[in-house]
Amino acid sequence: MKKIIVFVLLAFISIYSNAQGKFEPSVKVSFDLGIDDYKNKSFGAEFIGAYRINKMFKVGIGTGISYCDFLYEKAGINDILSKYHDDYKETAAYIPLFINGKLNFKREGISPYLSVDLGYTFFISFSDYADNNKLGLMVKPAFGVDFPLSKGSIFTEIAYKYQARKFDLVADDMNYSQISFGIGYTF
């Protein structure tokens, strides 16, 4: 799966480097809140280098870094750790590498939009226990609004994030979901 994602990203980069549209980089800060048994919370920043294909659509490549608290509560892993803790928390960072597509509903002015990030997340552990985590596929559809300024625009968005994850100490996958709140600036 990693090889396929890396191949798709490399193919996209080669197409992207020959694009004739307008280059529109953006930066974003976000807060992600876990909505399943794993209650993962994270705070991070992202950069997206995108090309506007037309007035309504742009595509780009993004990356970033997030600091994350993995909290395991009363499900799955708690059976293993119950003799030590009722809840167990680990900290880590992760670096996503993704393709982004964004579709605005209006050509000018305040414009709602839909976007989607699709990519792979790399894991940086801060403890020996967290080393057993392996992240993978990340999908993040979002709804937001662009607010134009004299130069660039500010945007806010809310997103649903799905993150694939394996944990070596547990036989089952420990994929998780988050609601993400973001604010950013497009140059």
Side-chain angles (χ1 to χ4, degrees):
M1 183 67 170
K2 284 183 189 180
K3 290 178 184 178
I4 293 171
I5 291 172
V6 170
F7 175 76
V8 169
L9 287 173
L10 289 174
F12 186 75
I13 289 169
S14 67
I15 293 168
Y16 180 74
S17 65
N18 295 319
Q20 300 297 318
K22 180 183 173 194
F23 181 65
E24 293 184 3
S26 63
V27 292
K28 175 174 66 171
V29 294
S30 62
F31 175 72
D32 303 331
L33 183 62
I35 57 174
D36 52 21
D37 288 335
Y38 303 115
K39 304 297 183 222
N40 298 335
K41 292 184 283 190
S42 60
F43 178 77
E46 292 179 353
F47 171 80
I48 299 173
Y51 274 96
R52 183 154 298 278
I53 304 301
N54 59 41
K55 290 188 183 235
M56 306 282 280
F57 185 69
K58 66 182 178 178
V59 295
I61 297 173
T63 190
I65 188 162
S66 292
Y67 174 81
C68 183
D69 284 332
F70 291 107
L71 177 61
Y72 309 101
E73 289 184 340
K74 305 184 191 316
I77 195 163
N78 193 46
D79 295 338
I80 295 169
L81 299 173
S82 62
K83 62 183 177 182
Y84 303 109
H85 303 284
D86 287 334
D87 297 331
Y88 189 77
K89 185 165 140 181
E90 285 289 333
T91 55
Y94 54 83
I95 299 174
L97 180 60
F98 56 90
I99 297 170
N100 171 269
K102 181 175 177 182
L103 176 66
N104 286 87
F105 295 145
K106 291 177 61 181
R107 294 178 190 264
E108 296 177 357
I110 296 174
S111 177
Y113 66 83
L114 292 175
S115 74
V116 65
D117 297 342
L118 175 64
Y120 189 86
T121 304
F122 300 94
F123 190 77
I124 301 171
S125 170
F126 294 154
S127 72
D128 292 338
Y129 183 77
D131 281 342
N132 295 305
N133 277 289
K134 290 181 179 57
L135 298 181
L137 176 70
M138 183 267 300
V139 179
K140 186 169 147 183
F143 172 78
V145 179
D146 284 325
F147 300 94
L149 302 172
S150 58
K151 290 190 177 188
S153 64
I154 292 174
F155 61 91
T156 62
E157 69 181 25
I158 185 169
Y160 166 80
K161 179 180 172 186
Y162 168 83
Q163 178 65 62
R165 176 173 63 158
K166 287 192 173 280
F167 192 69
D168 289 344
L169 301 177
V170 177
D172 297 331
D173 290 340
M174 294 181 66
N175 304 333
Y176 63 89
S177 300
Q178 296 174 307
I179 295 293
S180 177
F181 304 93
I183 185 166
Y185 179 77
T186 301
F187 297 89

